[in-house]
Amino acid sequence: MNKNNKKNMEVLNPQIDFIFKKIFGEDGNENITKDFVSSIIGEKIKKLEIKNPNLLRESINDKGEELDIKAVLDNNVLCDIEIQVANNHDDDKRILNYWSKMYRKSIHKSFKYKQMKKTIVIFITSYDVDNLKDLKEYKTKWKIIESKYRKTVLTDIFEVDIIELSKAKRLINENAFEEEENLKNWIKFLINPMELGGKEMAGKKVSVYNDLSEEIKQAYIAWQNINLTEEERDVAERKYMDLLSLDYGREYERKLGRKIGRKEGRKEGRKEGRKEGREEGRKEGREEGKKESQIRIAKKMLDEGFEISTIVNITELTEKEVTNIQ
């Protein structure tokens, strides 16, 4: 893949909401979405019907209040698939809102509760979810259970499956990503589809593509064949750079916050000191991380052949700062 093609494909990151919809929410891609959902919920799905292909025709600049992808599975099970890049620190409330929207719509005018359908929300994030930071697992399943005695599930109507791609990416980098092969490849696809096409080993091009399931191959082809309007490409480039900026900033903040937190904790030897260190780390990490990520993104864009004016517009660096990087 030459430099220009690589640049063109990089901006089509599946974590961008409307790119995600073009792969998993289009009419004709039901087999792709069925295999993807099946690998996440851990159940074999015979049938999947996408209910909202028209959403792809709506504004690509604003997610608004619409659900990302709505589908109906076997036995009329409802499924909502959401992809979230920016952490608004309200995921618990956001998830319940998504779930309740679909659940309420399942009831008929006769208002018989027994007619309400099982509803599943698959919530995929590019970041660590606030309430789950202490969990090392990147994939978790949530139900309503009795919390004190038998851990009995109250109802099978409610299910939430959360995928944190940031944690999965760290596990992959640490060679600690232990997962069923098909789901592992789907996660890698969401993180970076280009890695599934092939990789360099000892000077040779080694195909990873041939080891994929037919559904992931279809998703890879659908991703390669995405055609964007000029407006869509502008939005995709902006959202891709936002994604890189968030990724670099989060990683920088995480590392710096840990470093400062440990130093303050040792110095004070008190819980208050550790808390202060973490807070100071987060604040300093955000400020320095933003500048650091801007510079790293600018370097990457320069390497990929972007115009300086475009880099200035996306990174918010000055033209002089960008020129000095060169």
Side-chain angles (χ1 to χ4, degrees):
M1 183 179 293
N2 63 44
K3 181 179 285 189
N4 287 335
N5 284 342
K6 183 179 178 183
K7 179 185 74 173
N8 289 335
M9 296 310 295
E10 275 186 340
V11 301
L12 303 182
N13 192 297
Q15 295 173 52
I16 297 171
D17 49 9
F18 76 94
I19 300 296
F20 183 86
K21 292 179 187 180
K22 283 180 177 290
I23 299 169
F24 295 101
E26 288 276 17
D27 273 335
N29 287 359
E30 288 82 1
N31 282 341
I32 293 174
T33 310
K34 180 174 68 173
D35 189 71
F36 177 64
V37 171
S38 180
S39 69
I40 291 176
I41 67 176
E43 297 177 17
K44 187 68 176 178
I45 300 171
K46 295 181 180 178
K47 180 182 177 182
L48 178 143
E49 179 186 0
I50 297 171
K51 300 297 291 184
N52 60 335
N54 60 303
L55 284 186
L56 298 178
R57 311 293 178 253
E58 296 180 359
S59 172
I60 58 176
N61 286 286
D62 184 13
K63 286 186 67 161
E65 279 294 305
E66 288 292 349
L67 303 179
D68 276 353
I69 297 175
K70 295 182 286 188
V72 179
L73 315 181
D74 299 340
N75 301 318
N76 289 322
V77 173
L78 305 178
C79 184
D80 168 36
I81 311 170
E82 298 290 326
I83 189 86
Q84 187 75 15
V85 170
N87 186 358
N88 296 309
H89 307 287
D90 58 1
D91 289 328
D92 51 348
K93 300 174 181 63
R94 186 181 292 266
I95 289 170
L96 290 177
N97 180 46
Y98 294 148
W99 180 86
S100 63
K101 274 186 177 183
M102 288 202 78
Y103 183 63
R104 288 293 298 173
K105 287 181 179 179
S106 73
I107 198 167
H108 297 284
K109 292 181 180 179
S110 57
F111 201 78
K112 294 180 180 179
Y113 286 109
K114 65 181 181 180
Q115 295 175 333
M116 301 188 83
K117 309 299 182 184
K118 178 176 180 178
T119 303
I120 300 172
V121 170
I122 296 175
F123 192 72
I124 305 167
T125 69
S126 299
Y127 52 86
D128 292 8
V129 174
D130 290 347
N131 293 349
L132 308 184
K133 288 186 182 295
D134 292 335
L135 299 180
K136 65 179 182 180
E137 294 82 7
Y138 83 96
K139 177 179 176 290
T140 51
K141 185 185 295 287
W142 301 85
K143 293 180 176 290
I144 299 175
I145 64 170
E146 194 287 317
S147 62
K148 186 175 181 181
Y149 300 106
R150 297 179 180 84
K151 308 294 184 183
T152 303
V153 176
L154 175 65
T155 175
D156 67 348
I157 291 292
F158 178 91
E159 180 180 327
V160 173
D161 293 88
I162 299 176
I163 302 286
E164 299 170 89
L165 295 177
S166 51
K167 289 182 179 178
K169 187 175 181 180
R170 291 200 295 272
L171 289 171
I172 291 171
N173 292 338
E174 296 165 4
N175 293 318
F177 192 56
E178 298 178 1
E179 186 56 84
E180 182 270 327
E181 194 66 24
N182 199 52
L183 178 56
K184 179 188 292 187
N185 286 330
W186 274 123
I187 297 302
K188 288 182 176 180
F189 174 81
L190 291 180
I191 293 173
N192 186 0
M194 285 191 291
E195 291 188 359
L196 295 179
K199 59 183 178 180
E200 298 291 337
M201 290 184 65
K204 290 184 177 182
K205 185 79 171 180
V206 179
S207 176
V208 182
Y209 179 84
N210 292 332
D211 297 329
L212 304 178
S213 69
E214 287 304 313
E215 290 79 10
I216 298 180
K217 287 180 182 178
Q218 291 172 22
Y220 184 81
I221 292 171
W223 170 73
Q224 282 191 314
N225 291 333
I226 289 176
N227 290 316
L228 301 181
T229 65
E230 185 175 345
E231 179 196 6
E232 286 175 329
R233 177 158 290 280
D234 287 344
V235 174
E237 287 186 357
R238 187 174 70 248
K239 290 194 173 189
Y240 173 65
M241 291 306 159
D242 287 345
L243 180 62
L244 283 181
S245 179
L246 288 168
D247 193 25
Y248 289 143
R250 281 193 295 260
E251 184 64 18
Y252 189 85
E253 178 182 339
R254 190 168 64 88
K255 290 179 179 178
L256 186 61
R258 282 204 310 265
K259 179 179 178 181
I260 295 177
R262 286 196 301 267
K263 182 178 179 181
E264 286 297 315
R266 288 194 298 268
K267 181 179 179 181
E268 299 295 333
R270 300 195 304 267
K271 181 178 180 181
E272 291 80 4
R274 290 193 297 271
K275 179 179 179 182
E276 180 182 345
R278 288 194 298 271
E279 290 175 351
E280 182 182 346
R282 284 194 293 269
K283 181 179 179 181
E284 185 174 343
R286 281 192 296 269
E287 294 172 353
E288 296 189 27
K290 180 179 179 182
K291 190 70 172 182
E292 178 74 12
S293 65
Q294 288 171 322
I295 293 172
R296 292 179 68 178
I297 291 169
K299 286 180 179 178
K300 185 175 182 65
M301 292 180 73
L302 285 168
D303 290 340
E304 298 297 340
F306 282 90
E307 296 291 334
I308 290 181
S309 58
T310 302
I311 299 173
V312 169
N313 184 48
I314 290 175
T315 63
E316 298 181 352
L317 294 172
T318 65
E319 184 174 338
K320 183 178 179 180
E321 288 173 323
V322 175
T323 303
N324 287 339
I325 293 173
Q326 290 181 300

